[in-house]
Amino acid sequence: MHILDTPIDYLKGVGPARADLLKKELRIFTYADLLHHYPFRYIDKSKFHNIADLNPDMPSVQLKGQLIKFEEKGQKRSKRLIAHFKDETGIIELVWFKGTRWIRSSVKLHTDYIVFGKPSAYQGKFNIVHPELDLQESKQKLSATLQPVYPATEKLNAKGLTSRGIAKLTQALLPLLKNHLEETLSKSLIEKLNLPTREQSFFNVHHPKDAKSLIRAQKRLKFEEFFFLQLHLLKLKLTRNQKFMGYAFENLAEGFNDFYKKHLPFELTGAQKRVLKEIRNDVRNPQQMNRLLQGDVGSGKTLVALLSMLMAVDNNYQACLMAPTEILARQHFQSISTYLKEMNIKVAILTGSSKTKERRVLHEQLVSGEIDLLIGTHALLEDKVQFNNLGLVVIDEQHRFGVAQRAKLWKKNKYPPHILVMTATPIPRTLSMTLYGDLDVSVIDELPPGRKEVKTMWKTDSSRLQIINFIREQIKLGRQIYIVFPLIEESEKLDYKDLMEGYNAIEREFPLPEFQVSVVHGQMKPEDKEYEMKRFVDGVTNIMVATTVIEVGVNVPNASVMIIESAERFGLSQLHQLRGRVGRGAEQSYCILVSGNKVSAEGKTRLQTMVDTNDGFKISEVDLEIRGPGDMMGTKQSGVLDFKIADIIADNKILHFARNEAELLLKEDEELEKAENINIARAYRPYARERMGWSRIS
Ligand code: ADP
Ligand code: MG
């Protein structure tokens, strides 16, 4: 057994009770776990504050001065010992509720002390409760100026496992590990990046010699953490490409070529062409494609999906396209059917509201191979839905589907079909590198020509009248308007009321027969939703009042105004998605964000970001900063984003470095067989074993 696997119970200073707590509260079972329990910050003990400058918002501070007087106050429970502590700038009270007798007898008045603790306000004055107190002369002997602060919990504190207590444990542990912390990186990497050794790094991260050593230690450990993850993701990608047999779409035939030459209504953008080439290069090989296609709203992903599906059809395979909502599936079905109307390709649709009888026919036609393209919702996942020869699956708005759901599609043929997942929620590169590090990523970073930037304004309720007039003007110009209300599950009833009130108000302002107003929300029957949606798409209604059901994908080029009510309640990516519903035609479009007068600082950042930029990638970077990676992806992805010391956002430079180095390494030594990479190979094996069956692929 490696010494690092020693149960924590064996460490000096850890009795059975503490061992229990360490396991329960911090999931520290072994020496290795303690070693990887990192301080989350450090207190700079070389810095001193003046008493005159203190305020209760400060974290812990360090003061230099003398005790000039003791005083006892209060009765029974509120009985406390107070010491007056003075420096050149003022006096502050130090307060003890416990251990007062010991303090009184051991602490000397009029002697230089260093006091450490958090200032708080009490009855109009500042004090420090239960400060740490050190004699100045003994303090000078301590070389460590950076004191580690470990995450702790109340239960741990009660057993003496405060931050200081844990520091004592790591101090006991580290000497035992001397010469047992094997190097995991190659000599050339260490030299190239000028990293300290692994052993030095662990010592310095727990008990820094000085600020410089600490920074280098952190850099190394962060690099290592990212490096092995990237190595693993890249290896997964390599092995998958080798191991998962897939279907080779060898030829492009009349489907693709005819469509491309005769029926394509416009020239593809450069980005669309590039992405299609990337897809083409994948699917022509007998290995499964797993590609993520990122493209901002309106960048023309549907067409790319269609052309990819034609690649399948040309090779006698079927393809399917799955969308997260009924409305979206229908819209895809309609536009694709229109695109293909002069071609001999059979397209069908399957959603939750397909009738049983229709389904039966459809199931048969799928199995017989009569249907070439199937478009639908989750209904596609049902076991009953079987194909003759499914070769490609396209998933629109992939983040709306769970991993398990997507995995079902893998099983719809003997080998897994090629997978193309599309998302209009741009993911910052840092995040996609990690979350989708084992996928191939294509990006459409160009909008079709002739699009005008949507003009975005942020208004408050007091501008209602102005907004109404603006809507009227736009309707006169023949445009259509969206008005969106938030609908968040917890307050669904309330939101529903808001929506209906808003709808009624709009109907009063824009009465029949001059105006037509539609309403669509989640509580309506699918047919009714469909009907209203269709009236809007066909240009019958001027205004669509809706909840976020219209958020994804819907395409009405004549709609030029998006009004978002209570905009402060929406997340950034949602706002961006909603705004993407307009600006799809040739006309100048507008987005009006309406908020209350009181908006939180974070809400202001969101709204201002929307006003400032139309660039989905920029917006996603801001979103990542505000929300952090776990939240941003909707679900906390299992393990992938759980870093022990590194931080995807703050350390993104190191992440890029690590990705790069991992790529270079695998290019030269894919199997990690070379002698110079033996350290890496040795460390990687158990790392990979722990993460077996770890696949977040579609
Ligand atoms: P998204 O990427 O948001 O799914 P869509 O595929 O719905 O975008 O495309 C948005 C609009 O742009 C559609 O009306 C589509 O017909 C149009 N479009 C797509 N590609 C092009 C192109 N190359 N040139 C002009 N218009 C295009
Ligand atoms: Mg789309």
Side-chain angles (χ1 to χ4, degrees), residues 166-304:
I166 290 178
K168 276 193 194 134
L169 296 185
T170 53
Q171 226 150 13
L173 174 67
L174 285 165
L176 305 178
L177 302 181
K178 240 188 150 84
N179 300 322
H180 291 291
L181 295 169
E182 292 86 6
E183 189 46 69
T184 53
L185 299 176
S186 63
K187 218 170 148 201
S188 65
L189 259 183
I190 291 181
E191 270 165 23
K192 181 172 165 194
L193 302 178
N194 185 23
L195 300 172
T197 68
R198 192 149 180 270
E199 185 174 288
Q200 281 168 351
S201 303
F202 277 119
F203 275 73
N204 270 309
V205 87
H206 286 292
H207 300 284
K209 205 169 92 212
D210 49 44
K212 197 171 158 233
S213 315
L214 170 63
I215 289 168
R216 293 189 67 221
Q218 286 175 317
K219 182 178 155 201
R220 168 181 168 130
L221 294 171
K222 287 171 177 178
F223 175 83
E224 184 173 332
E225 193 166 30
F226 282 143
F227 178 75
F228 280 96
L229 177 62
Q230 290 303 328
L231 193 65
H232 188 54
L233 293 170
L234 290 166
K235 273 201 132 295
L236 278 182
K237 188 157 134 184
L238 284 169
T239 24
R240 194 187 35 246
N241 287 347
Q242 288 151 7
K243 290 214 186 104
F244 286 111
M245 289 288 294
Y247 302 105
F249 303 166
E250 279 162 26
N251 308 305
L252 294 186
E254 64 215 70
F256 186 94
N257 291 330
D258 254 22
F259 180 75
Y260 200 96
K261 286 190 199 117
K262 294 189 202 143
H263 306 295
L264 197 61
F266 27 60
E267 172 90 16
L268 292 184
T269 61
Q272 283 171 318
K273 285 184 194 163
R274 190 189 64 236
V275 167
L276 273 168
K277 264 187 212 138
E278 288 166 356
I279 294 170
R280 175 77 197 113
N281 280 335
D282 282 354
V283 297
R284 61 153 42 102
N285 296 311
Q287 283 112 28
Q288 187 209 19
M289 168 176 79
N290 256 283
R291 190 166 277 282
L292 173 71
L293 173 56
Q294 284 194 51
D296 212 341
V297 278
S299 60
K301 293 184 293 295
T302 315
L303 210 51
V304 171

Side-chain angles (χ1 to χ4, degrees), residues 424-438:
T425 311
I427 304 162
R429 214 173 109 66
T430 25
L431 202 53
S432 83
M433 214 189 284
T434 302
L435 269 179
Y436 303 114
D438 56 340

Side-chain angles (χ1 to χ4, degrees), residues 401-661:
F401 295 99
V403 177
Q405 288 178 317
R406 289 183 259 152
K408 282 196 163 179
L409 288 164
W410 279 55
K411 305 211 179 99
K412 300 262 177 199
N413 205 346
K414 188 165 147 237
Y415 300 132
H418 295 298
I419 309 268
L420 179 67
V421 294
M422 307 200 291
T423 178
T425 311
I427 304 162
R429 214 173 109 66
T430 25
L431 202 53
S432 83
M433 214 189 284
T434 302
L435 269 179
Y436 303 114
D438 56 340
L439 291 188
D440 293 302
V441 180
S442 290
V443 181
I444 306 187
D445 49 6
E446 181 187 355
L447 293 181
R451 294 274 171 81
K452 293 207 176 85
E453 283 226 325
V454 178
K455 285 198 178 130
T456 303
M457 289 156 275
W458 173 11
K459 301 275 174 191
T460 54
D461 286 324
S462 52
S463 308
R464 281 275 154 224
L465 210 61
Q466 206 191 336
I467 297 173
I468 296 284
N469 286 336
F470 182 70
I471 297 178
R472 206 164 272 136
E473 274 167 34
Q474 288 285 310
I475 293 179
K476 247 188 233 149
L477 290 169
R479 311 282 135 69
Q480 288 165 283
I481 321 290
Y482 288 106
I483 304 178
V484 175
F485 286 81
L487 197 101
I488 297 168
E489 271 161 48
E490 299 134 51
S491 54
E492 209 164 323
K493 280 209 185 101
L494 208 78
D495 287 334
Y496 181 68
K497 199 170 133 250
D498 283 355
L499 170 81
M500 290 322 281
E501 270 169 15
Y503 172 61
N504 291 335
I506 288 292
E507 271 207 315
R508 276 197 300 277
E509 292 289 344
F510 298 94
L512 290 162
E514 195 186 349
F515 300 98
Q516 296 267 352
V517 182
S518 281
V519 62
V520 168
H521 56 78
Q523 302 186 346
M524 285 162 71
K525 283 203 205 106
E527 308 90 85
D528 297 344
K529 254 194 261 177
E530 184 74 10
Y531 173 76
E532 287 293 309
M533 211 49 227
K534 187 163 185 314
R535 290 198 329 137
F536 190 68
V537 173
D538 293 345
V540 178
T541 50
N542 312 98
I543 301 175
M544 162 64 76
V545 179
T547 57
T548 45
V549 290
I550 57 138
E551 175 192 343
V552 274
V554 192
N555 191 24
V556 182
N558 188 48
S560 67
V561 182
M562 167 62 68
I563 295 170
I564 305 177
E565 296 283 347
S566 306
E568 73 272 28
R569 287 178 55 192
F570 290 86
L572 255 181
S573 74
Q574 227 177 358
L575 289 172
H576 180 62
Q577 283 291 321
L578 286 168
R579 180 168 61 184
R581 296 310 104 213
V582 297
R584 305 187 140 236
E587 310 303 336
Q588 177 61 54
S589 293
Y590 304 87
C591 175
I592 303 175
L593 308 168
V594 188
S595 77
N597 288 317
K598 274 199 193 139
V599 178
S600 69
E602 202 187 293
K604 281 182 187 155
T605 308
R606 286 197 298 265
L607 297 177
Q608 195 54 46
T609 303
M610 289 295 293
V611 172
D612 291 343
T613 182
N614 271 281
D615 181 333
F617 278 94
K618 269 195 203 134
I619 289 173
S620 75
E621 300 278 354
V622 176
D623 204 19
L624 179 62
E625 267 166 45
I626 298 181
R627 287 201 285 159
D631 251 12
M632 185 168 166
M633 300 321 292
T635 51
K636 306 234 172 202
Q637 302 271 329
S638 55
V640 195
L641 294 174
D642 292 346
F643 294 104
K644 290 217 164 67
I645 187 165
D647 177 319
I648 284 204
I649 303 164
D651 304 319
N652 82 77
K653 269 204 192 123
I654 304 179
L655 170 58
H656 282 258
F657 251 122
R659 172 82 172 186
N660 218 4
E661 291 301 332

Side-chain angles (χ1 to χ4, degrees), residues 313 316-318 346 362-373 386-390:
V313 175
N316 296 318
Y317 290 96
Q318 292 162 298
K346 184 157 165 87
L362 193 125
H363 289 164
E364 275 166 26
Q365 292 180 331
L366 278 173
V367 171
S368 73
E370 201 174 316
I371 291 174
D372 300 301
L373 303 182
Q386 293 295 329
F387 294 81
N388 174 42
N389 200 4
L390 181 65

